Amino acid sequence: MTWNTLFIMRHEVLLTLLIMYELLADLSDETNRTRMVNVTIAGFFLYMLAGFVPSENAALFGGMYVNDELRVLLKNILSVSTFIVLLQSSGWAKSPIHQGRAGAFYLTLLSTLMGMFFMISAGDFLMLYLGLELATLPLALLASFDKEFRRSAEAGAKLLMSSAVSSAVLLFGLSLMYGIYGTLQMEDIAQMNLNSDIHTIAIIFFISGLGFKLSLVPFHLWTADVYEGSPLPVTTYFSVVSKGAALFTLMLVLYRVFRYQPEEWRMPLYTLSVLTMVVGNLFALRQKNMKRFLAFSSITQAGFMLLGFMNFGRIGMTTIVYFMLIYGLSNLAVFGVLSIIVRATGKESMDDLNGFYSTNPRLGLVMLLSLFSLAGIPPVAGFFGKFFLFTAAASAGMYILVFIAVLNATISLYYYLLVVKAMFINKNETPIPSIQSTFYEKLAIGICLTGILAIGFVSQLYEYIQGLM
Amino acid sequence: MNPLLLLILIPALTMAGIMLAGDVKQARVISAVGMSAQLLFSFVLLYWFYQLRQSGNTDEMVFVSTTVWYPSLNIQLKFGIDGISMSMIMLTSIVTFAGVFVSWQVEYLTKEFFISLILLATGVFGFFISLDLFTMFLFYEVAVIPMYLLIGIWGSGPKEYSAMKLTLMLMGGSALLLVGLLGIYFNSAANGGPLTFDLMQIAKNGLPREAQMFFFPFTFIGFGILGALFPFHTWSPDGHASAPTAVSMLHAGVLMKLGGYGCFRVAMYLMPEAAHAMAWFFIILTTVSVVYGAFGAIWQKDLKYINAYSSVSHCGLVLFALLMMNETATTGALLQMISHGLMTALFFALIGMIYGRTHTRMIDEMGGLMKVIPFVSVLYVFAGLASLGLPGLSGFVAEMTIFVGSFQNVDTFHRVATIVACSSIVITAVYILRVVGILLLGPVRNNHYLELKDAMWFEKLGGVTLLVSIMIIGIAPLWLSNLLREPLAAMLNQLTN
Amino acid sequence: MNLSSEIPLQYMLVLSTLVFFIGLVSIIIRRNLITMLMGIELMLNAVNINFVAFNHYLFPNRLEGHFFTMIIIAIAAAEAAVAIALIINIYRKVGTVSVDDIEELKY
Amino acid sequence: MDFSFTILILALPLFSFALLGLTSKSLKADLAGYAGTTSLLVITVLSYLAAWRYFGGGDAEAGFGTTIAMNYLWLNFTDTLQIHIGILLDSLSIMMLVVITTVSLMVHIYSLGYMKGEKGFQRYYAFLSLFTFSMLGLVVATNIFQMYIFWELVGVSSYLLIGFYYERPSAVAASKKAFIVTRFADLGFLIGILMLSFSTGTFDFDALTSPTGPVISQPAGSLFMGLSVTTWAMLFIFMGGAGKSAMFPLHIWLPDAMEGPTPVSALIHAATMVVAGVYLVARLFPIYAMSAPEALDVISYIGSFTSLFAAVIACTQLDIKRVLAYSTLSQIGYMMVALGVSGYGGEAGLGYMASLFHLFTHAFFKALLFLGAGSVIHAVHSNMMTDMGGLRKYMPVTHVTFLIACLTIAGLPPLSGFFSKDEILVAAFEHNKIIFAVQWLVAGITAFYMFRLYFNIFWNRTPEYHHAPHESPVTMTLPLSFLAVASVFAGFVPFHELVTSDGKAFETSFHVLVALPSIAVALVGIGLAYIMYFKQNERPTKLAASISGIYTAAFHKFYIDEIYIFITKGIIFQFISRPVAWFDRHIVDGTMNLIGNTTVAASVVIRRLQSGKVQLYIWFFASGVLLLTLYMLLQ
Amino acid sequence: MTGPKIIFYILAAAIVVFSVLSVADRRILRAAIYLLFVLVAMAGLYYMMNFQFLAAVQLIIYAGGIVVLIIFSILLTSQINSKLDPPKLGNLLLGVITAIGGIAISAVTIVKYGFTPANQPAIEPTMRTIGHQLMDTSEYGYALPFEVIGILLLAALVGTIFIARKT
């Protein structure tokens, strides 16, 4: 254990420090919510910056913990997303009902983030599982964080029950994996090329476990309920950070560990992808609650993400990460606007958005751009993300899948346009009044917007990611 | 810097300017100035183009510039034009120019309106100058999506429904298209070498036959949907009927041309064997389209529906002629694209003017407009005559080139198809004259109309610009025909070998 | 004590599979959050049997399965704690812990 | 010889059209009229100059040959198929130039008086200029496509002029009908052009009609339904001609076209445009004669039938312009017959010469008749015979000129009509006796209905006029007089030396056997008319009653209009267009909507998946995992 | 029938029977007790396989901690003698069918597969080795998971307290 080790593990270490701060703040009955929020955000910001400092690749703790440039990037993506979530939730956290709660909130939130980092950095399935649980259990608590609301309680319970089953299934798969390989060290498993029915079962159980977090159909059913019931910052966190972590983990494991058995995971993912896109779309079509709507939208997006897995090589991984980044920023932007609305008015129905543009043109425009980005409309980044995903799938000759995916993208455009329609076209006697957003909120939206507008055109980013693969 | 980029830059600056504009008036003026500059620049470009050609430059594409964009996927920012793109650019800038003036009086969310409109135009310009399938597709979608807002916000009637339908159908088309493009990309290096989106490079490499057979329908139908290929045209009547004037103009006038252009530039040019093998099927579809659209137009009562169906017929003729795959017919198809673009834009502009005054588009609710708004009416008659192919106006030149060209295919199938397509000129006459008769001529049916004001200066400017263009092509078509024909020899060589 | 000569590994594995799916059935059919939680514990324990059995039968040279099991037990404890907190929370809000009553969020 | 000045013949009217069209509001009405008339005067002079130079400079015996005064490339389709816009001068086109400019000038002058004070006077002159331009362009066309271009332009000018009184629904309907019917015919023309040009690889008349050219010397081999491709092509082309020249069954637009101002009827629908079909056949005559004789037969039968059919109808009509319109049909039928019975070259080409001769003379006397009728209408403010009578006292000049015209058309010597009609009858007589018999009969009927018209207008009873009719102003009577003179003397033009099928002069002889019966039958016709209509009496009514079946049918123009209306309204509108529109809305669009609705419906159906019950969620999860496993294991 | 075999069969039977009972019994407190039996039997199984420490942990944490927790919560939330509603027929069918299917698929595949032992000398899971490895940071050391579990427990604890705390 040297300084270097700590530096390599800087994400986790610094997060631990932050967690400690939150614990202390919580314990000391910190009453000044504003200061607490500010300190947390500032601390997180510093931590986030530290994350960008380059470090060497290393495997620590006897290979339990692995860090390389790609993983640092993935963590940074999650960090930035979390930072944006923190910014967006600042208003929520400062509100009077959260007297004495911010500490617990931040503590739980940051520990889940740490869990995700361990998932990503896991060099051993044990760590992966641990990370997964660390990322899930506190999340169930977060989902129930709005103790005043029955829905929030319901969301937490549903999430916990179903996620426990999913992790049990994943564990069962892992146990079989252990039986097959004799080890859970990823590095060792990656050396072996074993194929058998039981291996298939193990892989599918594993994928299902992560697929649950990623909200793949038919493992998605918790998603909408939990998204709707949870407090908005938590929903945001679910839809971007939690999902991103699951996706990255799945990608790292499948590409790095089961690299010799691509056929075993490609077909299941193919099926899941089609199911996810179609079912997600069909549900999203008629949603009226924005959170629930975004839940299904994010399910559909997860279906798209799977397209990247069709390509076994660098292109596949690159497009997955690239798309996740863009999806994350776009979704965060949507949630950013939504969170401002919810903070100011408490309204979260699509009908409440009617006539929104007339009173809040800027927010409306941001929403428009980010929805277009989600739908994959140029020139915003979503187009590039989707296009490259399709490219990845097509490179494997899966044109039928691509076609299904693009048709689904068209359907998804339909419901994104419904939101646009509400904001821009529908008339409303009493639209949401003009909202003044805070500095944090503006900053959050600014980051997202810059990303959405710039990422597609700055090809260096894509090339950089590809270089890491 | 590549001068072609100005075609994107000028609209972009204009949009930025509008965004900064203080009030409605400024926004209007900035758009007008921007689009005038664009028009002017297209003329300059045309002049440069001619100069280059005159100086002995015989490159397939000129003003080519290549910048690698995504090196790992070999995506390039490659721009360049030939005679075909040049004329399409001219068409676009003329229609956009007219469109801005015709929408002078948009009051609701004016800035947003002009930004969306110009964004649409930008997409079109970008599409026409792109030589890389990726950027082409990008601009294609950029051009399509503002339609939703433009129709949804500033439209009339069941605008939400129409806007959604139009957007979804076109996006469905681009779904097919995307599959086609990716298929092309992944087969673009059949003989080794890097995969590429570069149009010229792919053409040079050639695609394997099986790939062509699989991806041609995707690409052709994908573009064809935008070109109102039967039976995927139904977005057109509803969309046009609900769209605001300038949008109908740009859409029917320019955007639908993307379809035909793409069918030719991408689908047929890159996949000649498949084009040959499957032409018969699409010829049947387009022949049906030509006649069917015309017959459909006869029964309509809404001016915009009439024009939309007429567009189906005329655009069907474009695809029809392209599929004939000989130089004359193809020239005709391109001429028809330009001609239809101009005259349908004029039509929609005039319909907008009429609607703005009478607040109805139902022809049987109006009558005798010639007496009350002669300027608009006379222009309408001109547009109608152009549409039915009167010599001296552009429609005639295009249609005749198509018919003569199509008839050069010696087998019975093509000839029968040609003759059936020819018959549309009669049907066109029927519905055009029906409209003119009911709408413009006869006694004034509604006394309120007696107080209507004739066209304002900006409307006149917009309309006359279009009419003059139509007449120039109609009276002196040779230069345009030669401009379009010039790159065809090489391209058709590719097609027939 | 070495079991491998007496009882084949497969017996252990089948046993664990049985318990695993019995746990699953419990979760699906019992209409009470607490019993569902019990089902989850069953499933986790089934997995534990697997790990332990593999460790003992196949790979006794290392203790990976053993430690995994320990970790699972620890996590199961945490999970149970969290679950019970949530259940109590539900109970406060809804008045029962019947699954049938927590379906306000749907469609 | 330099004919480059002829470009002015085309340029001037175009310029005048543009000028009058663009300045129609700001220009004073009179000025517009004078400007238009002046430009036409100049053109007329130029045309005469061209004729003088052409005929003066050539040798009738050797043939006049063809001069291409100019030829600009307008559009090229392929390397060989190119459209030129040019001026071709030969005896045929020069003759047409003279006819057109002369009649047009007369109409211009006449209109100064006739249209005075009309709203849209400038527009009227602009349209006239446009028409003149188009018609002149048509006749000087160097190639068939140029002809087609101007053919269409003529059509649209006609449309505009028929619909000149655009606030009158009947005029609007008539103009629409005229345009669509001729457009339909033009479709045939176009297809014919496509076929002909494809097999020959050229549009140029020079190449097409040269007896050594590819069409004629290498007859197209392939046959379709027993006729060669060339024959089919020529039949299609004739369809265009038949439409413009209002041959049965495409004649229906012409009577209705009388809704236009009367001078327009005189110019377009009597003297010039309607003979374009004749001109077209004459222009392509070598091909017809040598490569498509079957087509010529068809032409002669159609011409003959039309002339009889129209003459019969003319006997029953009450609207004087309609009588004249049917008379025009009948006379054009004569011209067609003449072409149909003609051969190529020398004496065999008698019919050709006769046809154009009749075209020439007919232009003058029919224009005269229309202008005379216009003069009458101007005075009486009605088109109906029943409102007229005894006008000879009020309008002497009109009366005399009208009588001359009637005598001319009746074919009494030595008026011009006699000569031209006589040549036609001779040609028919030599070729086909049945056709001859029909035409002979028609000659009698013509004399009858013309004098029925004449007597009814100028004699018979005198109705009560609200305003006493008075003679027309000099701007109107002057053209009348000029045309009367022309009608009288036009017959003495030595046509057989000037305008022949092969350009070479030949000798014609006088056939007493043909001439005398035709004079006789004309006299009988006149006599009958005198008996029935000179004074008011009961005989016409009785006669009509005795043959009521035929009379009613003829009065209703043999119900051809009704058949057309049935076809257009009943079949095309109701049974094609309406179903197409319905199909499009409900089937094609319905399918698209169905896809959308199905998606939405599916979304409603599957919403039960998201039941809100966490146990079911878990079940879905578990069964999903298992099914996926099963699927993978079975693979 | 040797001793270990008999013990195994007894334990296995206990595990299965009590699991089923715990699922089937409609009196919730009894179900919890049956679960306790299952857990204890499992501890026996571990013990049989030489993992004494694990068996102890199982007894302490599961039997001593979790089941007690569960019983507490049962006492908190329901009347002790009240019977639970019988399962819904639909759920029952779905659950049982799925389970049977799952068992069939997994068991068949597992039984078919010939697991290959590592054939290396076993190490005794003594307290010492376990303790060392648990604190070791090198290969096969479990210090990191141990720490992470700490964080997990902390987070769970804080969150749980927050949620369960009355406001």
Side-chain angles (χ1 to χ4, degrees), chain D residues 285-578:
Chain D
F285 192 72
I287 312 180
Y288 275 109
M290 284 182 263
S291 296
E294 298 91 341
L296 270 190
D297 288 341
V298 171
I299 292 173
S300 63
Y301 293 134
I302 289 181
S304 179
F305 180 77
T306 310
S307 66
L308 176 62
F309 169 85
V312 172
I313 295 177
C315 296
T316 61
Q317 297 301 305
L318 296 175
D319 182 325
I320 61 171
K321 284 181 74 181
R322 278 180 189 265
V323 174
L324 291 177
Y326 280 105
S327 154
T328 307
L329 283 180
S330 179
Q331 297 300 310
I332 298 170
Y334 265 108
M335 301 174 206
M336 287 294 183
V337 165
L339 285 170
V341 298
S342 175
Y344 180 76
E347 302 254 354
L350 174 67
Y352 177 89
M353 185 280 284
S355 169
L356 296 175
F357 195 13
H358 197 59
L359 190 160
F360 184 73
T361 56
H362 173 258
F364 296 121
F365 62 71
K366 187 50 65 63
L368 175 55
L369 281 171
F370 266 110
L371 293 184
S375 178
V376 169
I377 291 167
H378 195 65
V380 183
H381 301 291
S382 166
N383 280 7
M384 306 309 282
M385 271 182 212
T386 45
D387 297 336
M388 299 168 188
L391 284 174
R392 66 186 183 284
K393 292 168 282 190
Y394 303 103
M395 315 177 70
V397 182
T398 311
H399 172 225
V400 172
T401 51
F402 201 89
L403 178 60
I404 291 172
C406 285
L407 289 170
T408 316
I409 193 173
L412 291 181
L415 302 174
S416 61
F418 166 74
F419 294 103
S420 55
K421 189 184 280 180
D422 191 51
E423 302 284 13
I424 292 175
L425 288 174
V426 170
F429 184 75
E430 283 169 2
H431 188 79
N432 187 330
K433 298 287 185 297
I434 298 171
I435 291 183
F436 167 75
V438 172
Q439 298 314 120
W440 177 77
L441 182 63
V442 172
I445 302 175
T446 308
F448 171 74
Y449 68 71
M450 282 318 298
F451 275 87
R452 168 176 174 264
L453 181 69
Y454 168 73
F455 289 134
N456 265 324
I457 296 175
F458 293 102
W459 301 85
N460 215 319
R461 74 186 171 90
T462 308
E464 305 260 321
Y465 293 110
H466 292 297
H467 311 284
H470 54 83
E471 184 54 277
S472 301
V474 68
T475 45
M476 288 163 72
T477 52
L478 186 73
L480 289 180
S481 317
F482 179 86
L483 285 171
V485 172
S487 302
V488 172
F489 295 106
F492 298 106
V493 175
F495 240 68
H496 53 92
E497 288 176 6
L498 303 176
V499 186
T500 59
S501 58
D502 56 356
K504 301 192 180 82
F506 64 92
E507 280 305 311
T508 52
S509 48
F510 184 74
H511 279 62
V512 182
L513 271 181
V514 175
L516 285 181
S518 76
I519 294 169
V521 81
L523 288 173
V524 170
I526 296 172
L528 273 176
Y530 178 80
I531 295 168
M532 291 171 72
Y533 300 106
F534 186 68
K535 292 231 171 71
Q536 194 175 11
N537 59 46
E538 292 300 309
R539 280 183 287 254
T541 344
K542 276 186 201 156
L543 183 68
S546 68
I547 49 164
S548 67
I550 301 174
Y551 180 82
T552 323
F555 185 76
H556 289 108
K557 307 148 203 163
F558 295 104
Y559 302 103
I560 305 285
D561 272 333
E562 281 75 9
I563 294 172
Y564 269 94
I565 285 179
F566 174 72
I567 290 174
T568 50
K569 287 253 155 55
I571 295 185
I572 296 182
F573 272 60
Q574 290 289 345
F575 280 94
I576 299 180
S577 227
R578 195 175 174 185

Side-chain angles (χ1 to χ4, degrees), chain D residues 238-259:
Chain D
F238 173 66
M239 183 176 160
K244 227 19 125 215
S245 288
M247 289 291 97
F248 179 86
L250 299 170
H251 64 280
I252 48 153
W253 63 272
L254 185 59
D256 287 16
M258 299 303 139
E259 288 292 341

Side-chain angles (χ1 to χ4, degrees), chain B residues 414-495:
Chain B
H414 284 95
R415 295 212 154 159
V416 170
T418 309
I419 288 172
V420 173
C422 277
S423 68
S424 72
I425 62 171
V426 182
I427 314 169
T428 310
V430 173
Y431 65 77
I432 295 288
L433 294 189
R434 172 171 167 266
V435 176
V436 169
I438 297 176
L439 178 71
L440 306 177
L441 310 179
V444 180
R445 228 172 285 168
N446 188 334
N447 281 334
H448 297 294
Y449 292 171
L450 288 172
E451 286 143 35
L452 296 182
K453 290 249 185 316
D454 208 354
M456 316 285 248
W457 67 269
F458 44 84
E459 290 173 329
K460 283 184 179 170
L461 180 60
V464 168
T465 311
L466 292 168
L467 181 61
V468 168
S469 317
I470 291 173
M471 287 177 119
I472 288 175
I473 298 175
I475 292 170
L478 191 61
W479 65 274
L480 183 60
S481 165
N482 285 341
L483 186 67
L484 293 170
R485 189 185 296 265
E486 162 229 291
L488 280 181
M491 291 183 74
L492 287 166
N493 208 19
Q494 161 101 358
L495 262 177

